Amino acid sequence: MKPQPFSTAPAAPPVGRPKLGFLGTGRIGRNRLEAIARSQTADIAFVADTDGAMAEQARQLAPESERSQGLEAMLDSGIDGLVIATPSALHAAQAIRALDAGIAVFCQKPLGRDRGEVEDVVSAARNADRLLGVDLSYRFTTGAQLIAERLRRGDIGKVFAVDLEFHNAYGPDKAWFYDRFLSGGGCVIDLGVHLVDMALWLLGPCDIRHVESALYRDGRRLVSGSEDVEDFAAATLETVQGVTIRLTCSWRLHAGCDAVIRARFFGEKGGLEFANVGGSFYDFTARHHLQTASTELCGPPDDWSGRAAVDWVRRLARNPGYDPACEQFIAVADALDRIYQAGRR
């Protein structure tokens, strides 16, 4: 088990201090901009958003930046990297346009609405020899990193089962999330993507041989031909390597708290657990279980939300070239596609 959160690409000429553009400056975009600004690892040159007030709020976090008219204007401005935080339907096309222009990309999840879109973006990065990152930020929590170390060492032996849960008591507040064409799906692609990515990253190379799933909207089972997006999903993924991965995720579930976020890995010699604390979206603990005993590996506070973006900037400064590690994004997209296909039969 060899998780690879950092670059595996051969060295290319470094760009020094990267010059960045930000496309989309809503809550998540501003958070990532602020994290990069605090890290002092890049020059934030341009911000663009269809909402002028949002763009101005972003500029307050990076006073040296300028308002841009949009993607094309930034591509002509000499930036080294583009951070994309726009609605999901735009991600793949915008990422490909930037990569084709020779500009590295860091994109909000999901990178694409299905495997085909993700493959197209990865192919564009490969052809352009440019770095591609996706904001799958749970990899960069201290808890996930500590679990990765223990799995690499074989502390719990061979993993045979993984349980994943992500329940958000509130659900999205923007209408496009509920349009299947614009979002690609509901809670699976919005929430489940994080934990599916974590599981596949931590388990190392594995091949999914069979998937069963059930998708629901307002308590009603979705069937083939339905254009509704799911607000509850339960899926089981079986791997060729003999691991059973179970996933449940939801919006607006009556779970008694703001959020339930948990990933449990069960091995022959013990268990490892990543879980939120007290219903929080931001505070996590990691634990090592041995029979009835449990040892805490870490707990809050942990300022993790912008680490994936800052790591991408640091990699970009060292080596702007293509990193084959991004091909795991295709495996994650494939797993989500198969959950959707099985759930709509």
Side-chain angles (χ1 to χ4, degrees), residues 8-93:
T8 59
V15 300
R17 186 178 175 89
K19 181 180 177 182
L20 303 182
F22 281 75
L23 184 64
T25 55
R27 180 179 62 85
I28 296 294
R30 287 199 310 275
N31 176 276
R32 296 342 183 218
L33 185 152
E34 184 175 17
I36 291 171
R38 284 201 314 265
S39 73
Q40 300 183 345
T41 53
D43 294 324
I44 300 171
F46 298 99
V47 299
D49 198 291
T50 55
D51 185 323
M54 292 286 192
E56 284 305 316
Q57 289 177 30
R59 284 200 65 247
Q60 292 176 17
L61 300 171
E64 73 282 4
S65 65
E66 299 177 22
R67 282 278 305 276
S68 173
Q69 292 304 307
L71 175 60
E72 294 301 323
M74 283 195 285
L75 297 184
D76 293 333
S77 66
I79 58 174
D80 302 298
L82 178 69
V83 178
I84 297 173
T86 56
S88 298
L90 304 176
H91 289 178

Side-chain angles (χ1 to χ4, degrees), residues 169-184:
Y170 304 103
D173 58 2
K174 292 184 172 60
W176 64 262
F177 276 94
Y178 302 93
D179 183 318
R180 188 178 173 195
F181 174 78
L182 297 177
S183 62

Side-chain angles (χ1 to χ4, degrees), residues 131-153:
L131 185 66
L132 172 64
V134 176
D135 197 2
L136 293 162
S137 51
Y138 287 76
R139 293 188 188 192
F140 290 84
T141 59
T142 299
Q145 293 291 319
L146 291 174
I147 287 174
E149 290 176 8
R150 280 151 181 79
L151 289 175
R152 274 196 296 265
R153 292 200 308 246

